[in-house]
Amino acid sequence: MSEQSSDASSRPDVPPESGGGAGAEGSAEPGGAGQPASVTTHTHTHTYTPGPEPASVSEGPGRARAAAAPVSGPSVPPQNVGPDVPKVPAYLRPAQPADAWQRRGQQPPGVMTRLRAASPPAIGPGTLWSVLATAFLSALLLGDGLGLNLLIVAVPAALGAFFAARSAGRRLRPWTAVWALGGLMLLAVPALRDAGWPVFLAMVAALALGSLALHGSRSWPGVLLGSVGLLPSVAGGARWGWRGVRARADDSRGRVRTVARTTAVAVVLLIVFGTLFASADAAFADLLGSLTPDMSIGDSPWRVFLFVLGLLGALAAAYSAAAPVRWDGITVRPGKARNRAEWALPLIVLNLLFAVFIGLQLVVLLGGYDKVLEETGLKPAEYARQGFWQLLWATVLTLLVIALALRWAPRGKAGDRTLVRSVLGVLCVLTLVVVASALRRMDLYVDAFGLTRLRISVAAVELWLGVVLVLILAAGVFGARLLPRAVMVSAAVGVLAFGLVSPDGLIAEQNVQRHGNGGTIDIEYLEGLSADAVPALNELPEPLRSCALENVQRDLGLRDAPWYATSWGEARARDILEEHPAAHQGTRCYDLGRDADERDGFEEDDSYDPY
């Protein structure tokens, strides 16, 4: 009885007025109603024939009750099924969306979804412990200043990214190693220099190289966007880390609580016995105080912020290493190719203008310099200052012109490529001469009025632009495949060299040497330099020496940073000033090195120093 009832419920539903073929076919099977119904169920799902339903007569009571049960399916057969049912015309059918994602009720994938690789595997124990170590070290070390602590914090973060990349099956490639080592080398600048501006540049460049190491970009969009590619991974990295921690806590079966208890007991023991030993021996107290960070309740919010910052940064780095964003997937279509005459004529005119300007510069350098100054009425330093900024902007605009010219350059034939290389190659060579002229003008200006932070910065930028022009010339000869990465390497090397040469020390050294040769000196400007300038300023005669070092000595006396937050430049300045302290000169310093003629060459912009 039960088998018959289940068979009835498994049959296709039919209207009350239907029957005939389906019911007769079922009763004609061997065994009749007493046989299992599953033998005949496969014959009732294919045809539909109108007619009287004999199931209530020929089949048993169970089948009659099943037939009388409420119909659960549709009361009419589906459309476009069966020989007698007309098909619905196409113009009456509901319109289907053209996009397959919309047909499924989903939105098209976003840009980041299409560019990011497959979802990363679950966070591993090595990555997890590295991330936690980065967070704790950030909270403990970064709150006291910048120095060697940046490099100490970066090491576990790099290890976490390495473990995550290895678990995702990524291999270490040569360019990845170049970016990673370059970033770690840049973090050595805060450990060496006290000046804030080269330290800031080094930190930004190190972050950019670290991001490139994680994403592995090679095209122009990839290199430019990959250098800031860690930012889109912050939220995804936090979610990935939380899921990994929660999964491990669920699978640990009490091991997490055991580790937490063990760690808590160890910390309590260290605090209790460390305090006792420190109070028992002064030498041990000094050693413990120099090794442990100095934390108080007042800076707790700042420490918490640094912990969260280190945690999110390390998770974003590991997440990017396991599932990098392929920024190279963003392609910039080339512009519409122009014909040769339309493209080349404006550039040839520009080359002629550059050639005329360079020819005039050669005439001035070969003997007409005094005549030009006599006709213009300018002093040599004013002539140099007048031209440097214009030549700097000319160099920048030339690089922009080259980029736009390559976008609309004629292409497709060998003659087109030869024309493009010839015209742009000549423009690059002429621009290099403009760069040399600008640097020469800055040299004349520095000889007249001394070196400042603004002057050494813009001169360094002009020099780097010249390096970029040389790289463009090399790309025209050997191919442009490595040009984006070569330009990024040149920028990183420039920032590293700028920090290693100690710009504040170089400024002080040049001004002291110029004063020794009979030139004027601006003590008001030099006393605002960082501790990196102390070795050079220490060579000045008294009372200029004490006036130049008085502010630095006072600032160093107010600082009490631990060893990991003290730069080598600051430590060296402390040793010099402890051996030969600067004497207090009072109001006497206001009358030294502040004559009107000594301030003529210093612009108002030079006196502004945000660092």
Side-chain angles (χ1 to χ4, degrees):
M1 179 66 68
S2 62
E3 292 180 355
Q4 292 174 356
S5 299
S6 63
D7 178 68
S9 62
S10 64
R11 294 187 180 204
D13 299 321
V14 295
E17 67 273 13
S18 63
E25 187 178 354
S27 61
E29 288 292 334
Q35 296 295 330
S38 60
V39 177
T40 61
T41 55
H42 68 280
T43 63
H44 304 289
T45 60
H46 304 291
T47 60
Y48 170 75
T49 305
E53 174 62 34
S56 60
V57 178
S58 60
E59 298 181 0
R63 294 190 180 273
R65 285 193 298 268
V71 179
S72 61
S75 60
V76 295
Q79 296 181 358
N80 298 335
V81 177
D84 299 330
V85 179
K87 296 183 177 180
V88 179
Y91 62 88
L92 293 178
R93 298 176 187 173
Q96 296 291 335
D99 191 358
W101 293 93
Q102 296 180 3
R103 286 199 300 267
R104 298 174 185 174
Q106 301 178 5
Q107 296 295 328
V111 176
M112 297 302 301
T113 304
R114 290 187 286 106
L115 294 179
R116 191 177 291 278
S119 298
I123 186 170
T127 303
L128 183 60
W129 288 113
S130 299
V131 168
L132 292 177
T134 304
F136 279 110
L137 289 175
S138 299
L140 293 175
L141 303 182
L142 296 184
D144 299 312
L146 299 180
L148 191 62
N149 48 7
L150 277 176
L151 190 58
I152 296 174
V153 171
V155 169
L159 288 176
F162 172 75
F163 292 144
R166 188 176 61 177
S167 64
R170 296 185 66 189
R171 296 178 298 172
L172 181 63
R173 299 182 180 275
W175 274 103
T176 303
V178 169
W179 301 131
L181 292 177
L184 293 177
M185 292 175 63
L186 283 166
L187 290 181
V189 174
L192 296 175
R193 303 300 169 215
D194 181 64
W197 53 309
V199 168
F200 175 76
L201 291 177
M203 291 171 56
V204 173
L207 184 62
L209 292 191
S211 182
L212 286 176
L214 297 173
H215 295 93
S217 303
R218 64 181 64 184
S219 63
W220 279 113
V223 169
L224 295 178
L225 295 176
S227 59
V228 293
L230 277 180
L231 298 180
S233 300
V234 173
R239 292 191 297 267
W240 176 61
W242 172 248
R243 289 195 300 265
V245 171
R246 188 174 58 183
R248 290 189 173 276
D250 294 339
D251 296 340
S252 62
R253 299 183 182 275
R255 285 178 293 178
V256 173
R257 291 190 294 271
T258 302
V259 172
R261 287 195 301 267
T262 304
T263 304
V265 171
V267 170
V268 170
L269 292 176
L270 286 176
I271 292 176
V272 172
F273 286 94
T275 303
L276 291 175
F277 291 150
S279 61
D281 187 81
F284 183 80
D286 293 338
L287 176 63
L288 191 63
S290 62
L291 294 179
T292 57
D294 185 14
M295 293 184 295
S296 61
I297 298 177
D299 62 352
S300 296
W302 174 240
R303 301 284 180 176
V304 172
F305 171 76
L306 291 175
F307 179 87
V308 175
L309 183 64
L311 182 69
L312 294 179
L315 282 175
Y319 183 69
S320 298
V325 179
R326 302 302 183 186
W327 296 107
D328 288 334
I330 300 178
T331 57
V332 179
R333 295 181 180 179
K336 182 180 179 181
R338 309 296 179 179
N339 59 62
R340 296 184 181 181
E342 181 183 3
W343 179 86
L345 184 59
L347 295 177
I348 292 175
V349 172
L350 182 61
N351 285 342
L352 292 176
L353 178 62
F354 271 66
V356 171
F357 175 79
I358 293 171
L360 180 61
Q361 295 297 302
L362 293 177
V363 171
V364 171
L365 292 177
L366 292 178
Y369 188 64
D370 295 335
K371 183 178 180 181
V372 171
L373 295 180
E374 181 180 353
E375 293 178 355
T376 58
L378 297 175
K379 297 179 180 180
E382 294 173 342
Y383 179 76
R385 179 175 60 183
Q386 183 188 48
F388 173 79
W389 292 103
Q390 289 84 345
L391 297 182
L392 176 63
W393 280 109
T395 306
V396 175
L397 293 178
T398 301
L399 291 175
L400 180 61
V401 168
I402 292 174
L404 296 177
L406 289 174
R407 177 174 175 81
W408 288 294
R411 49 187 176 270
K413 298 181 181 179
D416 294 336
R417 292 190 292 271
T418 302
L419 176 65
V420 171
R421 291 178 179 177
S422 302
V423 174
L424 295 184
V426 171
L427 182 58
C428 289
V429 172
L430 295 176
T431 309
L432 282 176
V433 181
V434 172
V435 170
S437 177
L439 292 176
R440 174 57 181 164
R441 288 176 181 246
M442 178 55 70
D443 185 57
L444 293 174
Y445 191 41
V446 169
D447 287 342
F449 297 108
L451 192 61
T452 63
R453 287 177 170 178
L454 178 63
R455 294 163 194 168
I456 193 174
S457 299
V458 294
V461 171
E462 182 73 17
L463 183 61
W464 175 69
L465 293 177
V467 173
V468 173
L469 289 169
V470 173
L471 293 176
I472 293 176
L473 284 173
V477 177
F478 303 104
R481 186 174 63 90
L482 297 178
L483 181 61
R485 289 182 286 191
V487 171
M488 181 59 69
V489 168
S490 67
V493 171
V495 172
L496 180 61
F498 191 71
L500 293 180
V501 300
S502 181
D504 274 11
L506 194 61
I507 292 170
E509 183 179 352
Q510 193 273 344
N511 281 273
V512 170
Q513 183 179 2
R514 178 172 169 272
H515 175 71
N517 295 331
T520 57
I521 190 170
D522 187 356
I523 295 297
E524 183 180 0
Y525 183 84
L526 295 179
E527 67 184 8
L529 299 178
S530 65
D532 297 332
V534 170
L537 296 178
N538 190 52
E539 303 297 328
L540 286 172
E542 292 289 355
L544 292 176
R545 175 188 174 276
S546 295
C547 292
L549 296 178
E550 187 175 359
N551 288 340
V552 178
Q553 181 172 275
R554 183 174 59 252
D555 293 340
L556 293 179
L558 297 176
R559 300 181 194 174
D560 190 18
W563 63 271
Y564 50 80
T566 302
S567 65
W568 178 69
E570 181 180 345
R572 184 176 55 171
R574 286 182 183 274
D575 295 338
I576 294 175
L577 292 176
E578 287 178 0
E579 185 176 357
H580 301 287
H584 180 65
Q585 299 294 330
T587 59
R588 185 179 180 184
C589 294
Y590 289 98
D591 300 329
L592 295 175
R594 288 176 172 83
D595 294 337
D597 57 343
E598 295 172 352
R599 297 294 298 169
D600 288 342
F602 289 86
E603 308 96 325
E604 291 296 327
D605 293 340
D606 281 0
S607 61
Y608 171 72
D609 180 18
Y611 302 102

mmCIF file of all heavy atoms in Angstrom, residues 27-53:
data_model
loop_
_atom_site.group_PDB
_atom_site.id
_atom_site.type_symbol
_atom_site.label_atom_id
_atom_site.label_comp_id
_atom_site.label_asym_id
_atom_site.label_seq_id
_atom_site.Cartn_x
_atom_site.Cartn_y
_atom_site.Cartn_z
ATOM 1 N N SER A 27 -1.655 0.607 -15.885
ATOM 2 C CA SER A 27 -2.328 -0.628 -15.521
ATOM 3 C C SER A 27 -1.953 -1.770 -16.399
ATOM 4 O O SER A 27 -2.178 -2.917 -16.057
ATOM 5 C CB SER A 27 -3.855 -0.407 -15.583
ATOM 6 O OG SER A 27 -4.231 -0.052 -16.902
ATOM 7 N N ALA A 28 -1.400 -1.511 -17.541
ATOM 8 C CA ALA A 28 -1.033 -2.584 -18.448
ATOM 9 C C ALA A 28 0.318 -3.171 -18.140
ATOM 10 O O ALA A 28 0.706 -4.161 -18.739
ATOM 11 C CB ALA A 28 -1.024 -2.061 -19.892
ATOM 12 N N GLU A 29 1.075 -2.578 -17.222
ATOM 13 C CA GLU A 29 2.391 -3.102 -16.894
ATOM 14 C C GLU A 29 2.266 -4.431 -16.171
ATOM 15 O O GLU A 29 1.287 -4.673 -15.472
ATOM 16 C CB GLU A 29 3.143 -2.103 -16.011
ATOM 17 C CG GLU A 29 3.597 -0.862 -16.731
ATOM 18 C CD GLU A 29 4.668 -1.150 -17.749
ATOM 19 O OE1 GLU A 29 5.399 -2.132 -17.592
ATOM 20 O OE2 GLU A 29 4.777 -0.399 -18.727
ATOM 21 N N PRO A 30 3.220 -5.324 -16.280
ATOM 22 C CA PRO A 30 3.146 -6.603 -15.594
ATOM 23 C C PRO A 30 3.101 -6.395 -14.097
ATOM 24 O O PRO A 30 3.809 -5.593 -13.539
ATOM 25 C CB PRO A 30 4.447 -7.309 -16.029
ATOM 26 C CG PRO A 30 4.820 -6.654 -17.310
ATOM 27 C CD PRO A 30 4.356 -5.252 -17.194
ATOM 28 N N GLY A 31 2.242 -7.203 -13.478
ATOM 29 C CA GLY A 31 2.112 -7.104 -12.042
ATOM 30 C C GLY A 31 0.969 -6.272 -11.596
ATOM 31 O O GLY A 31 0.525 -6.380 -10.485
ATOM 32 N N GLY A 32 0.387 -5.388 -12.450
ATOM 33 C CA GLY A 32 -0.758 -4.573 -12.108
ATOM 34 C C GLY A 32 -0.488 -3.680 -10.933
ATOM 35 O O GLY A 32 0.600 -3.213 -10.675
ATOM 36 N N ALA A 33 -1.533 -3.505 -10.138
ATOM 37 C CA ALA A 33 -1.431 -2.601 -9.004
ATOM 38 C C ALA A 33 -0.651 -3.194 -7.875
ATOM 39 O O ALA A 33 -0.188 -2.511 -7.008
ATOM 40 C CB ALA A 33 -2.833 -2.196 -8.532
ATOM 41 N N GLY A 34 -0.479 -4.496 -7.839
ATOM 42 C CA GLY A 34 0.255 -5.090 -6.750
ATOM 43 C C GLY A 34 1.743 -5.024 -6.898
ATOM 44 O O GLY A 34 2.468 -5.328 -5.962
ATOM 45 N N GLN A 35 2.261 -4.657 -8.066
ATOM 46 C CA GLN A 35 3.695 -4.556 -8.288
ATOM 47 C C GLN A 35 4.192 -3.187 -7.819
ATOM 48 O O GLN A 35 3.439 -2.229 -7.726
ATOM 49 C CB GLN A 35 4.024 -4.743 -9.784
ATOM 50 C CG GLN A 35 3.662 -6.111 -10.300
ATOM 51 C CD GLN A 35 4.485 -7.203 -9.663
ATOM 52 O OE1 GLN A 35 5.626 -6.960 -9.293
ATOM 53 N NE2 GLN A 35 3.918 -8.403 -9.489
ATOM 54 N N PRO A 36 5.485 -3.095 -7.547
ATOM 55 C CA PRO A 36 6.019 -1.783 -7.148
ATOM 56 C C PRO A 36 5.777 -0.743 -8.211
ATOM 57 O O PRO A 36 5.982 -0.984 -9.405
ATOM 58 C CB PRO A 36 7.515 -2.043 -6.922
ATOM 59 C CG PRO A 36 7.577 -3.513 -6.665
ATOM 60 C CD PRO A 36 6.499 -4.141 -7.458
ATOM 61 N N ALA A 37 5.388 0.415 -7.790
ATOM 62 C CA ALA A 37 5.049 1.486 -8.746
ATOM 63 C C ALA A 37 6.262 2.040 -9.439
ATOM 64 O O ALA A 37 6.155 2.651 -10.487
ATOM 65 C CB ALA A 37 4.313 2.622 -8.021
ATOM 66 N N SER A 38 7.457 1.852 -8.861
ATOM 67 C CA SER A 38 8.644 2.434 -9.473
ATOM 68 C C SER A 38 8.968 1.821 -10.812
ATOM 69 O O SER A 38 9.754 2.339 -11.570
ATOM 70 C CB SER A 38 9.848 2.264 -8.528
ATOM 71 O OG SER A 38 10.071 0.880 -8.286
ATOM 72 N N VAL A 39 8.343 0.729 -11.119
ATOM 73 C CA VAL A 39 8.607 0.091 -12.415
ATOM 74 C C VAL A 39 8.024 0.912 -13.530
ATOM 75 O O VAL A 39 8.528 0.921 -14.642
ATOM 76 C CB VAL A 39 8.035 -1.355 -12.405
ATOM 77 C CG1 VAL A 39 8.226 -2.025 -13.743
ATOM 78 C CG2 VAL A 39 8.663 -2.151 -11.297
ATOM 79 N N THR A 40 6.970 1.635 -13.291
ATOM 80 C CA THR A 40 6.257 2.319 -14.374
ATOM 81 C C THR A 40 6.372 3.831 -14.310
ATOM 82 O O THR A 40 5.850 4.503 -15.159
ATOM 83 C CB THR A 40 4.763 1.936 -14.328
ATOM 84 O OG1 THR A 40 4.244 2.353 -13.070
ATOM 85 C CG2 THR A 40 4.586 0.450 -14.496
ATOM 86 N N THR A 41 7.015 4.370 -13.313
ATOM 87 C CA THR A 41 7.023 5.848 -13.190
ATOM 88 C C THR A 41 7.759 6.525 -14.317
ATOM 89 O O THR A 41 7.448 7.648 -14.679
ATOM 90 C CB THR A 41 7.661 6.259 -11.863
ATOM 91 O OG1 THR A 41 8.948 5.664 -11.771
ATOM 92 C CG2 THR A 41 6.803 5.822 -10.691
ATOM 93 N N HIS A 42 8.743 5.871 -14.929
ATOM 94 C CA HIS A 42 9.507 6.544 -15.975
ATOM 95 C C HIS A 42 8.733 6.699 -17.256
ATOM 96 O O HIS A 42 9.177 7.389 -18.161
ATOM 97 C CB HIS A 42 10.790 5.747 -16.256
ATOM 98 C CG HIS A 42 10.523 4.410 -16.895
ATOM 99 N ND1 HIS A 42 10.112 3.320 -16.143
ATOM 100 C CD2 HIS A 42 10.582 4.010 -18.185
ATOM 101 C CE1 HIS A 42 9.951 2.276 -16.966
ATOM 102 N NE2 HIS A 42 10.228 2.688 -18.202
ATOM 103 N N THR A 43 7.565 6.051 -17.373
ATOM 104 C CA THR A 43 6.780 6.166 -18.607
ATOM 105 C C THR A 43 5.783 7.298 -18.558
ATOM 106 O O THR A 43 5.101 7.536 -19.539
ATOM 107 C CB THR A 43 6.026 4.860 -18.863
ATOM 108 O OG1 THR A 43 5.099 4.654 -17.790
ATOM 109 C CG2 THR A 43 6.989 3.696 -18.956
ATOM 110 N N HIS A 44 5.682 8.026 -17.434
ATOM 111 C CA HIS A 44 4.633 9.032 -17.299
ATOM 112 C C HIS A 44 5.159 10.445 -17.392
ATOM 113 O O HIS A 44 4.434 11.365 -17.086
ATOM 114 C CB HIS A 44 3.916 8.842 -15.959
ATOM 115 C CG HIS A 44 3.348 7.474 -15.773
ATOM 116 N ND1 HIS A 44 2.243 7.016 -16.476
ATOM 117 C CD2 HIS A 44 3.751 6.435 -14.986
ATOM 118 C CE1 HIS A 44 1.959 5.770 -16.113
ATOM 119 N NE2 HIS A 44 2.882 5.393 -15.220
ATOM 120 N N THR A 45 6.353 10.626 -17.772
ATOM 121 C CA THR A 45 6.916 11.982 -17.786
ATOM 122 C C THR A 45 7.120 12.528 -19.182
ATOM 123 O O THR A 45 7.713 13.577 -19.331
ATOM 124 C CB THR A 45 8.272 11.968 -17.078
ATOM 125 O OG1 THR A 45 9.131 11.070 -17.760
ATOM 126 C CG2 THR A 45 8.123 11.529 -15.629
ATOM 127 N N HIS A 46 6.619 11.852 -20.205
ATOM 128 C CA HIS A 46 6.937 12.263 -21.574
ATOM 129 C C HIS A 46 5.727 12.703 -22.377
ATOM 130 O O HIS A 46 5.862 13.528 -23.259
ATOM 131 C CB HIS A 46 7.632 11.128 -22.307
ATOM 132 C CG HIS A 46 8.864 10.635 -21.607
ATOM 133 N ND1 HIS A 46 9.992 11.383 -21.511
ATOM 134 C CD2 HIS A 46 9.101 9.484 -20.929
ATOM 135 C CE1 HIS A 46 10.919 10.728 -20.827
ATOM 136 N NE2 HIS A 46 10.383 9.566 -20.455
ATOM 137 N N THR A 47 4.540 12.121 -22.150
ATOM 138 C CA THR A 47 3.393 12.410 -23.017
ATOM 139 C C THR A 47 2.239 12.937 -22.203
ATOM 140 O O THR A 47 2.139 12.696 -20.990
ATOM 141 C CB THR A 47 2.948 11.147 -23.774
ATOM 142 O OG1 THR A 47 2.584 10.160 -22.814
ATOM 143 C CG2 THR A 47 4.073 10.611 -24.656
ATOM 144 N N TYR A 48 1.389 13.643 -22.879
ATOM 145 C CA TYR A 48 0.152 14.132 -22.263
ATOM 146 C C TYR A 48 -0.955 13.962 -23.279
ATOM 147 O O TYR A 48 -0.905 14.548 -24.348
ATOM 148 C CB TYR A 48 0.299 15.600 -21.865
ATOM 149 C CG TYR A 48 -1.020 16.235 -21.456
ATOM 150 C CD1 TYR A 48 -1.586 15.947 -20.244
ATOM 151 C CD2 TYR A 48 -1.678 17.107 -22.334
ATOM 152 C CE1 TYR A 48 -2.791 16.496 -19.864
ATOM 153 C CE2 TYR A 48 -2.879 17.662 -21.962
ATOM 154 C CZ TYR A 48 -3.441 17.365 -20.735
ATOM 155 O OH TYR A 48 -4.631 17.918 -20.348
ATOM 156 N N THR A 49 -1.990 13.120 -22.930
ATOM 157 C CA THR A 49 -3.107 12.831 -23.840
ATOM 158 C C THR A 49 -4.415 13.121 -23.135
ATOM 159 O O THR A 49 -4.683 12.527 -22.077
ATOM 160 C CB THR A 49 -3.076 11.350 -24.287
ATOM 161 O OG1 THR A 49 -1.806 11.097 -24.851
ATOM 162 C CG2 THR A 49 -4.176 11.075 -25.305
ATOM 163 N N PRO A 50 -5.242 14.014 -23.631
ATOM 164 C CA PRO A 50 -6.523 14.310 -22.979
ATOM 165 C C PRO A 50 -7.438 13.101 -23.032
ATOM 166 O O PRO A 50 -7.393 12.303 -23.965
ATOM 167 C CB PRO A 50 -7.086 15.488 -23.777
ATOM 168 C CG PRO A 50 -5.950 16.005 -24.592
ATOM 169 C CD PRO A 50 -5.019 14.873 -24.795
ATOM 170 N N GLY A 51 -8.292 13.019 -22.066
ATOM 171 C CA GLY A 51 -9.267 11.925 -22.040
ATOM 172 C C GLY A 51 -9.666 11.607 -20.627
ATOM 173 O O GLY A 51 -9.144 12.157 -19.668
ATOM 174 N N PRO A 52 -10.575 10.702 -20.418
ATOM 175 C CA PRO A 52 -11.032 10.346 -19.070
ATOM 176 C C PRO A 52 -9.945 9.655 -18.298
ATOM 177 O O PRO A 52 -9.113 8.973 -18.867
ATOM 178 C CB PRO A 52 -12.240 9.429 -19.327
ATOM 179 C CG PRO A 52 -12.027 8.887 -20.700
ATOM 180 C CD PRO A 52 -11.312 9.941 -21.470
ATOM 181 N N GLU A 53 -9.954 9.850 -16.998
ATOM 182 C CA GLU A 53 -8.950 9.281 -16.115
ATOM 183 C C GLU A 53 -9.480 7.978 -15.532
ATOM 184 O O GLU A 53 -10.385 7.973 -14.713
ATOM 185 C CB GLU A 53 -8.646 10.271 -14.987
ATOM 186 C CG GLU A 53 -7.727 9.718 -13.933
ATOM 187 C CD GLU A 53 -6.374 9.376 -14.510
ATOM 188 O OE1 GLU A 53 -5.929 10.084 -15.427
ATOM 189 O OE2 GLU A 53 -5.772 8.415 -14.049
#
